[in-house]
Amino acid sequence: SASAASGGFTIVTSERAVKAVTGFSRFEFQLPSQAEIEFDVAEEAEFDESIVGESNLREFLLSRAKVLASKGILSKEFQEQLEQHLLHVQNKRMLTRCQTPSGLTEANLQEMTRDTSGMLPQNFVSLVQKLFSARSVIIEVQRKIVQTRARETKVYENQARLRQNIQSMEKVRDCGTLLTRYLEDLNKDEDDLQKARVMIEADEEDVAKMNAEKTQMELQVETLAKKLYDEMESGTSAS
């Protein structure tokens, strides 16, 4: 609503007006006795409202802007300008986050891939996607290492049990067959341990290599994000 601080309302109906001053108009009608008439008087008010912040602007565009546009109060051109400004702010925020790529989340990636404004070049978005893919592969290999170590621990526990059984049979007669089986199981466990050690060593080497590649990609994302941010700040379009 328009308060006095905003200038109040202005009567815009001039038909039948015989006197008009600021905030007041007098209308004249000549009516027969006992007659009634309805007459609409239009008032309007102009006032300024500041919309500060990305979330407030987004909320305005998603709700009140549509109502104002449907009533012809908000022009389509100005609405599009506001939408472009919101995209500009969103992308600047995203580029700021990308300057610290190690802190990027899946939610950030989803927001970035939803952008259809063209403000963020596809090669930049693809680079960030590649970084997240590298992260996923590293996590998967690390999970594999944890699983292999868990199996390794179980083998050690089984070996300890077998050794105890073998020691307990030293004073037992006629246990050759059972002892042979225990020894075979012990040898099999040693083979499994050797395979596990080889797998862990290979996977750890892969993780080290992939981490180095990931660090290089993070540097590329950071450098390009800074470049795009500076171009956006200066008003130039990124190639």
mmCIF file of all heavy atoms in Angstrom, residues 180-214:
data_model
loop_
_atom_site.group_PDB
_atom_site.id
_atom_site.type_symbol
_atom_site.label_atom_id
_atom_site.label_comp_id
_atom_site.label_asym_id
_atom_site.label_seq_id
_atom_site.Cartn_x
_atom_site.Cartn_y
_atom_site.Cartn_z
ATOM 1 N N THR A 180 47.367 -81.870 8.120
ATOM 2 C CA THR A 180 47.661 -81.537 6.720
ATOM 3 C C THR A 180 46.679 -80.502 6.189
ATOM 4 O O THR A 180 47.055 -79.553 5.484
ATOM 5 C CB THR A 180 47.598 -82.806 5.851
ATOM 6 O OG1 THR A 180 48.566 -83.749 6.318
ATOM 7 C CG2 THR A 180 47.869 -82.477 4.396
ATOM 8 N N ARG A 181 45.407 -80.660 6.544
ATOM 9 C CA ARG A 181 44.394 -79.706 6.079
ATOM 10 C C ARG A 181 44.648 -78.317 6.649
ATOM 11 O O ARG A 181 44.534 -77.309 5.947
ATOM 12 C CB ARG A 181 42.998 -80.187 6.483
ATOM 13 C CG ARG A 181 41.882 -79.464 5.746
ATOM 14 C CD ARG A 181 40.533 -79.885 6.261
ATOM 15 N NE ARG A 181 40.244 -79.195 7.537
ATOM 16 C CZ ARG A 181 39.146 -79.418 8.257
ATOM 17 N NH1 ARG A 181 38.275 -80.343 7.875
ATOM 18 N NH2 ARG A 181 38.937 -78.756 9.369
ATOM 19 N N TYR A 182 45.029 -78.279 7.948
ATOM 20 C CA TYR A 182 45.316 -76.989 8.572
ATOM 21 C C TYR A 182 46.502 -76.302 7.886
ATOM 22 O O TYR A 182 46.489 -75.089 7.645
ATOM 23 C CB TYR A 182 45.629 -77.172 10.057
ATOM 24 C CG TYR A 182 44.410 -77.424 10.914
ATOM 25 C CD1 TYR A 182 44.533 -78.040 12.162
ATOM 26 C CD2 TYR A 182 43.137 -77.050 10.491
ATOM 27 C CE1 TYR A 182 43.424 -78.276 12.961
ATOM 28 C CE2 TYR A 182 42.020 -77.286 11.272
ATOM 29 C CZ TYR A 182 42.167 -77.897 12.504
ATOM 30 O OH TYR A 182 41.066 -78.130 13.285
ATOM 31 N N LEU A 183 47.509 -77.081 7.571
ATOM 32 C CA LEU A 183 48.690 -76.517 6.917
ATOM 33 C C LEU A 183 48.361 -76.018 5.511
ATOM 34 O O LEU A 183 48.869 -74.977 5.065
ATOM 35 C CB LEU A 183 49.808 -77.565 6.861
ATOM 36 C CG LEU A 183 50.430 -77.934 8.215
ATOM 37 C CD1 LEU A 183 51.393 -79.103 8.059
ATOM 38 C CD2 LEU A 183 51.144 -76.727 8.829
ATOM 39 N N GLU A 184 47.504 -76.769 4.819
ATOM 40 C CA GLU A 184 47.082 -76.333 3.482
ATOM 41 C C GLU A 184 46.288 -75.021 3.562
ATOM 42 O O GLU A 184 46.468 -74.119 2.734
ATOM 43 C CB GLU A 184 46.235 -77.425 2.826
ATOM 44 C CG GLU A 184 47.042 -78.651 2.409
ATOM 45 C CD GLU A 184 46.160 -79.761 1.862
ATOM 46 O OE1 GLU A 184 44.909 -79.636 1.995
ATOM 47 O OE2 GLU A 184 46.700 -80.744 1.314
ATOM 48 N N ASP A 185 45.413 -74.946 4.575
ATOM 49 C CA ASP A 185 44.644 -73.713 4.763
ATOM 50 C C ASP A 185 45.566 -72.539 5.089
ATOM 51 O O ASP A 185 45.349 -71.407 4.626
ATOM 52 C CB ASP A 185 43.622 -73.887 5.889
ATOM 53 C CG ASP A 185 42.478 -74.811 5.493
ATOM 54 O OD1 ASP A 185 42.330 -75.065 4.279
ATOM 55 O OD2 ASP A 185 41.743 -75.268 6.393
ATOM 56 N N LEU A 186 46.590 -72.833 5.874
ATOM 57 C CA LEU A 186 47.540 -71.783 6.241
ATOM 58 C C LEU A 186 48.288 -71.271 5.009
ATOM 59 O O LEU A 186 48.481 -70.054 4.836
ATOM 60 C CB LEU A 186 48.519 -72.321 7.277
ATOM 61 C CG LEU A 186 49.296 -71.289 8.111
ATOM 62 C CD1 LEU A 186 48.348 -70.418 8.917
ATOM 63 C CD2 LEU A 186 50.273 -72.000 9.043
ATOM 64 N N ASN A 187 48.690 -72.202 4.152
ATOM 65 C CA ASN A 187 49.371 -71.810 2.917
ATOM 66 C C ASN A 187 48.444 -71.012 1.993
ATOM 67 O O ASN A 187 48.868 -70.044 1.346
ATOM 68 C CB ASN A 187 49.885 -73.052 2.184
ATOM 69 C CG ASN A 187 51.065 -73.690 2.897
ATOM 70 O OD1 ASN A 187 51.818 -73.006 3.591
ATOM 71 N ND2 ASN A 187 51.221 -75.009 2.740
ATOM 72 N N LYS A 188 47.183 -71.446 1.940
ATOM 73 C CA LYS A 188 46.212 -70.724 1.104
ATOM 74 C C LYS A 188 46.028 -69.291 1.613
ATOM 75 O O LYS A 188 45.929 -68.341 0.826
ATOM 76 C CB LYS A 188 44.872 -71.457 1.106
ATOM 77 C CG LYS A 188 43.797 -70.792 0.255
ATOM 78 C CD LYS A 188 42.517 -71.594 0.280
ATOM 79 C CE LYS A 188 41.431 -70.915 -0.554
ATOM 80 N NZ LYS A 188 41.095 -69.567 -0.044
ATOM 81 N N ASP A 189 45.981 -69.149 2.937
ATOM 82 C CA ASP A 189 45.846 -67.807 3.509
ATOM 83 C C ASP A 189 47.047 -66.938 3.159
ATOM 84 O O ASP A 189 46.907 -65.736 2.897
ATOM 85 C CB ASP A 189 45.702 -67.900 5.032
ATOM 86 C CG ASP A 189 44.304 -68.337 5.450
ATOM 87 O OD1 ASP A 189 43.409 -68.318 4.583
ATOM 88 O OD2 ASP A 189 44.114 -68.684 6.633
ATOM 89 N N GLU A 190 48.231 -67.537 3.155
ATOM 90 C CA GLU A 190 49.427 -66.774 2.787
ATOM 91 C C GLU A 190 49.332 -66.288 1.348
ATOM 92 O O GLU A 190 49.720 -65.156 1.032
ATOM 93 C CB GLU A 190 50.682 -67.640 2.973
ATOM 94 C CG GLU A 190 51.151 -67.764 4.409
ATOM 95 C CD GLU A 190 51.560 -66.430 5.002
ATOM 96 O OE1 GLU A 190 52.057 -65.561 4.253
ATOM 97 O OE2 GLU A 190 51.362 -66.232 6.219
ATOM 98 N N ASP A 191 48.818 -67.160 0.470
ATOM 99 C CA ASP A 191 48.629 -66.751 -0.930
ATOM 100 C C ASP A 191 47.632 -65.598 -1.024
ATOM 101 O O ASP A 191 47.840 -64.637 -1.784
ATOM 102 C CB ASP A 191 48.140 -67.937 -1.764
ATOM 103 C CG ASP A 191 49.199 -69.023 -1.919
ATOM 104 O OD1 ASP A 191 50.393 -68.701 -1.738
ATOM 105 O OD2 ASP A 191 48.822 -70.181 -2.214
ATOM 106 N N ASP A 192 46.540 -65.701 -0.252
ATOM 107 C CA ASP A 192 45.527 -64.637 -0.263
ATOM 108 C C ASP A 192 46.103 -63.321 0.252
ATOM 109 O O ASP A 192 45.789 -62.242 -0.273
ATOM 110 C CB ASP A 192 44.325 -65.046 0.589
ATOM 111 C CG ASP A 192 43.517 -66.174 -0.044
ATOM 112 O OD1 ASP A 192 43.680 -66.394 -1.268
ATOM 113 O OD2 ASP A 192 42.739 -66.830 0.681
ATOM 114 N N LEU A 193 46.937 -63.409 1.283
ATOM 115 C CA LEU A 193 47.559 -62.199 1.826
ATOM 116 C C LEU A 193 48.474 -61.544 0.798
ATOM 117 O O LEU A 193 48.500 -60.317 0.658
ATOM 118 C CB LEU A 193 48.355 -62.533 3.094
ATOM 119 C CG LEU A 193 47.554 -62.748 4.376
ATOM 120 C CD1 LEU A 193 48.475 -63.187 5.510
ATOM 121 C CD2 LEU A 193 46.816 -61.466 4.763
ATOM 122 N N GLN A 194 49.210 -62.371 0.084
ATOM 123 C CA GLN A 194 50.109 -61.836 -0.929
ATOM 124 C C GLN A 194 49.325 -61.126 -2.030
ATOM 125 O O GLN A 194 49.693 -60.028 -2.473
ATOM 126 C CB GLN A 194 50.952 -62.974 -1.526
ATOM 127 C CG GLN A 194 51.967 -62.526 -2.567
ATOM 128 C CD GLN A 194 52.983 -61.549 -2.018
ATOM 129 O OE1 GLN A 194 53.313 -61.587 -0.833
ATOM 130 N NE2 GLN A 194 53.473 -60.657 -2.873
ATOM 131 N N LYS A 195 48.222 -61.736 -2.459
ATOM 132 C CA LYS A 195 47.380 -61.111 -3.482
ATOM 133 C C LYS A 195 46.795 -59.795 -2.970
ATOM 134 O O LYS A 195 46.729 -58.804 -3.705
ATOM 135 C CB LYS A 195 46.252 -62.062 -3.879
ATOM 136 C CG LYS A 195 46.711 -63.295 -4.639
ATOM 137 C CD LYS A 195 45.530 -64.203 -4.947
ATOM 138 C CE LYS A 195 45.977 -65.468 -5.667
ATOM 139 N NZ LYS A 195 44.840 -66.390 -5.936
ATOM 140 N N ALA A 196 46.372 -59.798 -1.704
ATOM 141 C CA ALA A 196 45.789 -58.586 -1.120
ATOM 142 C C ALA A 196 46.817 -57.465 -1.063
ATOM 143 O O ALA A 196 46.505 -56.304 -1.369
ATOM 144 C CB ALA A 196 45.249 -58.883 0.277
ATOM 145 N N ARG A 197 48.045 -57.805 -0.676
ATOM 146 C CA ARG A 197 49.100 -56.785 -0.601
ATOM 147 C C ARG A 197 49.379 -56.189 -1.978
ATOM 148 O O ARG A 197 49.578 -54.977 -2.120
ATOM 149 C CB ARG A 197 50.377 -57.399 -0.020
ATOM 150 C CG ARG A 197 50.254 -57.830 1.437
ATOM 151 C CD ARG A 197 51.602 -58.237 2.010
ATOM 152 N NE ARG A 197 51.457 -58.877 3.321
ATOM 153 C CZ ARG A 197 51.559 -60.180 3.526
ATOM 154 N NH1 ARG A 197 51.806 -60.999 2.499
ATOM 155 N NH2 ARG A 197 51.423 -60.680 4.738
ATOM 156 N N VAL A 198 49.399 -57.050 -2.998
ATOM 157 C CA VAL A 198 49.640 -56.575 -4.367
ATOM 158 C C VAL A 198 48.505 -55.652 -4.815
ATOM 159 O O VAL A 198 48.739 -54.589 -5.414
ATOM 160 C CB VAL A 198 49.783 -57.772 -5.332
ATOM 161 C CG1 VAL A 198 49.822 -57.285 -6.783
ATOM 162 C CG2 VAL A 198 51.039 -58.569 -5.009
ATOM 163 N N MET A 199 47.258 -56.047 -4.514
ATOM 164 C CA MET A 199 46.102 -55.234 -4.899
ATOM 165 C C MET A 199 46.125 -53.880 -4.197
ATOM 166 O O MET A 199 45.883 -52.835 -4.817
ATOM 167 C CB MET A 199 44.804 -55.977 -4.566
ATOM 168 C CG MET A 199 44.520 -57.177 -5.451
ATOM 169 S SD MET A 199 43.023 -58.068 -4.930
ATOM 170 C CE MET A 199 41.793 -56.778 -5.088
ATOM 171 N N ILE A 200 46.413 -53.900 -2.900
ATOM 172 C CA ILE A 200 46.442 -52.646 -2.139
ATOM 173 C C ILE A 200 47.529 -51.723 -2.663
ATOM 174 O O ILE A 200 47.314 -50.513 -2.837
ATOM 175 C CB ILE A 200 46.644 -52.935 -0.635
ATOM 176 C CG1 ILE A 200 45.398 -53.605 -0.054
ATOM 177 C CG2 ILE A 200 46.961 -51.651 0.124
ATOM 178 C CD1 ILE A 200 45.564 -54.092 1.374
ATOM 179 N N GLU A 201 48.692 -52.286 -2.925
ATOM 180 C CA GLU A 201 49.799 -51.474 -3.430
ATOM 181 C C GLU A 201 49.451 -50.840 -4.774
ATOM 182 O O GLU A 201 49.701 -49.652 -5.003
ATOM 183 C CB GLU A 201 51.052 -52.341 -3.562
ATOM 184 C CG GLU A 201 52.282 -51.564 -4.016
ATOM 185 C CD GLU A 201 53.531 -52.426 -4.093
ATOM 186 O OE1 GLU A 201 53.492 -53.574 -3.597
ATOM 187 O OE2 GLU A 201 54.538 -51.957 -4.653
ATOM 188 N N ALA A 202 48.844 -51.632 -5.663
ATOM 189 C CA ALA A 202 48.470 -51.110 -6.984
ATOM 190 C C ALA A 202 47.394 -50.033 -6.860
ATOM 191 O O ALA A 202 47.464 -48.987 -7.523
ATOM 192 C CB ALA A 202 47.976 -52.254 -7.868
ATOM 193 N N ASP A 203 46.404 -50.281 -6.005
ATOM 194 C CA ASP A 203 45.319 -49.308 -5.834
ATOM 195 C C ASP A 203 45.831 -48.014 -5.200
ATOM 196 O O ASP A 203 45.397 -46.913 -5.573
ATOM 197 C CB ASP A 203 44.203 -49.906 -4.976
ATOM 198 C CG ASP A 203 43.398 -50.964 -5.721
ATOM 199 O OD1 ASP A 203 43.440 -50.954 -6.967
ATOM 200 O OD2 ASP A 203 42.739 -51.793 -5.064
ATOM 201 N N GLU A 204 46.739 -48.135 -4.244
ATOM 202 C CA GLU A 204 47.288 -46.933 -3.610
ATOM 203 C C GLU A 204 48.101 -46.113 -4.605
ATOM 204 O O GLU A 204 48.078 -44.874 -4.569
ATOM 205 C CB GLU A 204 48.143 -47.320 -2.407
ATOM 206 C CG GLU A 204 47.318 -47.782 -1.212
ATOM 207 C CD GLU A 204 48.168 -48.199 -0.033
ATOM 208 O OE1 GLU A 204 49.360 -48.528 -0.240
ATOM 209 O OE2 GLU A 204 47.647 -48.205 1.099
ATOM 210 N N GLU A 205 48.802 -46.791 -5.500
ATOM 211 C CA GLU A 205 49.538 -46.076 -6.548
ATOM 212 C C GLU A 205 48.564 -45.350 -7.479
ATOM 213 O O GLU A 205 48.813 -44.209 -7.886
ATOM 214 C CB GLU A 205 50.406 -47.056 -7.343
ATOM 215 C CG GLU A 205 51.612 -47.578 -6.578
ATOM 216 C CD GLU A 205 52.431 -48.561 -7.397
ATOM 217 O OE1 GLU A 205 52.021 -48.856 -8.551
ATOM 218 O OE2 GLU A 205 53.467 -49.037 -6.902
ATOM 219 N N ASP A 206 47.449 -46.019 -7.801
ATOM 220 C CA ASP A 206 46.433 -45.397 -8.656
ATOM 221 C C ASP A 206 45.836 -44.163 -7.977
ATOM 222 O O ASP A 206 45.631 -43.126 -8.617
ATOM 223 C CB ASP A 206 45.323 -46.398 -8.980
ATOM 224 C CG ASP A 206 45.773 -47.462 -9.965
ATOM 225 O OD1 ASP A 206 46.795 -47.241 -10.646
ATOM 226 O OD2 ASP A 206 45.104 -48.513 -10.047
ATOM 227 N N VAL A 207 45.547 -44.280 -6.682
ATOM 228 C CA VAL A 207 44.971 -43.155 -5.943
ATOM 229 C C VAL A 207 45.936 -41.975 -5.926
ATOM 230 O O VAL A 207 45.533 -40.817 -6.117
ATOM 231 C CB VAL A 207 44.602 -43.574 -4.504
ATOM 232 C CG1 VAL A 207 44.282 -42.350 -3.649
ATOM 233 C CG2 VAL A 207 43.406 -44.512 -4.517
ATOM 234 N N ALA A 208 47.212 -42.255 -5.694
ATOM 235 C CA ALA A 208 48.210 -41.182 -5.674
ATOM 236 C C ALA A 208 48.273 -40.477 -7.029
ATOM 237 O O ALA A 208 48.332 -39.241 -7.106
ATOM 238 C CB ALA A 208 49.580 -41.748 -5.306
ATOM 239 N N LYS A 209 48.238 -41.264 -8.098
ATOM 240 C CA LYS A 209 48.279 -40.692 -9.443
ATOM 241 C C LYS A 209 47.023 -39.876 -9.731
ATOM 242 O O LYS A 209 47.095 -38.753 -10.252
ATOM 243 C CB LYS A 209 48.422 -41.819 -10.473
ATOM 244 C CG LYS A 209 48.475 -41.337 -11.911
ATOM 245 C CD LYS A 209 48.608 -42.510 -12.873
ATOM 246 C CE LYS A 209 48.614 -42.028 -14.324
ATOM 247 N NZ LYS A 209 48.720 -43.167 -15.281
ATOM 248 N N MET A 210 45.862 -40.424 -9.355
ATOM 249 C CA MET A 210 44.599 -39.722 -9.613
ATOM 250 C C MET A 210 44.474 -38.464 -8.759
ATOM 251 O O MET A 210 43.906 -37.461 -9.198
ATOM 252 C CB MET A 210 43.419 -40.665 -9.370
ATOM 253 C CG MET A 210 43.274 -41.742 -10.438
ATOM 254 S SD MET A 210 41.776 -42.756 -10.253
ATOM 255 C CE MET A 210 42.178 -43.674 -8.767
ATOM 256 N N ASN A 211 45.001 -38.501 -7.538
ATOM 257 C CA ASN A 211 44.977 -37.303 -6.696
ATOM 258 C C ASN A 211 45.814 -36.186 -7.312
ATOM 259 O O ASN A 211 45.446 -35.009 -7.241
ATOM 260 C CB ASN A 211 45.487 -37.625 -5.292
ATOM 261 C CG ASN A 211 44.374 -38.099 -4.369
ATOM 262 O OD1 ASN A 211 43.246 -37.625 -4.451
ATOM 263 N ND2 ASN A 211 44.690 -39.032 -3.486
ATOM 264 N N ALA A 212 46.943 -36.566 -7.907
ATOM 265 C CA ALA A 212 47.778 -35.567 -8.577
ATOM 266 C C ALA A 212 47.038 -34.959 -9.766
ATOM 267 O O ALA A 212 47.076 -33.739 -9.986
ATOM 268 C CB ALA A 212 49.089 -36.205 -9.032
ATOM 269 N N GLU A 213 46.341 -35.808 -10.528
ATOM 270 C CA GLU A 213 45.564 -35.320 -11.666
ATOM 271 C C GLU A 213 44.404 -34.444 -11.190
ATOM 272 O O GLU A 213 44.083 -33.421 -11.809
ATOM 273 C CB GLU A 213 45.040 -36.501 -12.482
ATOM 274 C CG GLU A 213 46.139 -37.303 -13.168
ATOM 275 C CD GLU A 213 45.615 -38.564 -13.834
ATOM 276 O OE1 GLU A 213 44.431 -38.913 -13.592
ATOM 277 O OE2 GLU A 213 46.373 -39.198 -14.596
ATOM 278 N N LYS A 214 43.781 -34.841 -10.074
ATOM 279 C CA LYS A 214 42.672 -34.053 -9.523
ATOM 280 C C LYS A 214 43.160 -32.675 -9.073
ATOM 281 O O LYS A 214 42.488 -31.660 -9.304
ATOM 282 C CB LYS A 214 42.032 -34.795 -8.351
ATOM 283 C CG LYS A 214 40.887 -34.035 -7.684
ATOM 284 C CD LYS A 214 40.222 -34.872 -6.615
ATOM 285 C CE LYS A 214 41.096 -35.025 -5.390
ATOM 286 N NZ LYS A 214 41.192 -33.765 -4.606
#
